[in-house]
Amino acid sequence: AQERFEILKSFFFEAKQFTPMATKPKLDKFLLPYILLSRSGPPEILLLLFIGLARTINLNLQVIRGPERTILKFIDAGKAIMCDFQNQAQLLNTEEIIELINQGCDFTKILDNKELLTQYLLQIKTQRLRERSLVQFYKIQSYLVHHQPFILSHLVDRARAAYAVGDLVKAADAIV
């Protein structure tokens, strides 16, 4: 598993030169076409791409949200291997892992893909709202309702967005 991981890491960060953005970008830089063309994007979205590629080579990566870092974990020959995604997926040594534990990183809390996708959608939602793109905001809310159907605030926000663009039928439908 570690050999496949090193090949993937080399392909992603060196051959294709994907780099995480340090600042919060505008909305167009959150979207996949921009990220694939520029090879740059928010770390959370690059993480989704990296995990998708890992699956194609049968590498099961687990995501752990650390303080100011995203940690990837996988098992190789019965041993847990961890790396810092924002630092070009560099492997963490024992001292760095201990430091993360002392900073409050909970290595037992694994984020699943649905949580990662939801975080991505919430980021796009925030950007759409900032840029007053209400039609797109409505679409993002629809995706969020699909992924988190029991969170009523998504339904309310979707109805408000439809109402704001003047689509009263969709506004009424969003509530029921």
Side-chain angles (χ1 to χ4, degrees), residues 31-140:
L31 303 177
L32 205 49
Y34 174 85
I35 292 167
L36 293 175
L37 289 173
S38 69
R39 311 268 198 237
S40 178
E44 299 84 357
I45 299 157
L46 293 180
L47 178 62
L48 288 170
L49 282 174
F50 193 82
I51 290 171
L53 290 172
R55 282 199 180 126
T56 64
I57 58 171
N58 294 321
L59 186 60
N60 182 25
L61 298 177
Q62 296 177 325
V63 179
I64 301 162
R65 183 74 67 195
E68 301 176 21
R69 295 198 223 187
T70 301
I71 309 301
L72 293 177
K73 174 183 165 185
F74 63 96
I75 305 297
D76 184 41
K79 180 181 175 191
I81 309 236
M82 296 181 209
C83 67
D84 179 359
F85 183 75
Q86 273 98 330
N87 190 18
Q88 296 192 339
Q90 293 300 313
L91 297 179
L92 296 174
N93 61 35
T94 306
E95 292 81 26
E96 291 170 315
I97 293 171
I98 291 171
E99 183 181 325
L100 284 170
I101 291 170
N102 289 336
Q103 292 174 355
C105 185
D106 184 359
F107 286 97
T108 62
K109 187 173 181 186
I110 306 296
L111 295 175
D112 65 16
N113 292 331
K114 190 173 182 177
E115 290 172 301
L116 290 172
L117 181 59
T118 300
Q119 287 179 1
Y120 169 60
L121 290 171
L122 288 170
Q123 286 182 339
I124 293 177
K125 171 188 169 179
T126 302
Q127 288 296 108
R128 293 281 187 203
L129 199 54
R130 267 191 219 131
E131 296 175 11
R132 304 289 299 155
S133 178
L134 296 175
V135 172
Q136 294 298 319
F137 179 75
Y138 175 83
K139 289 179 183 177
I140 296 300

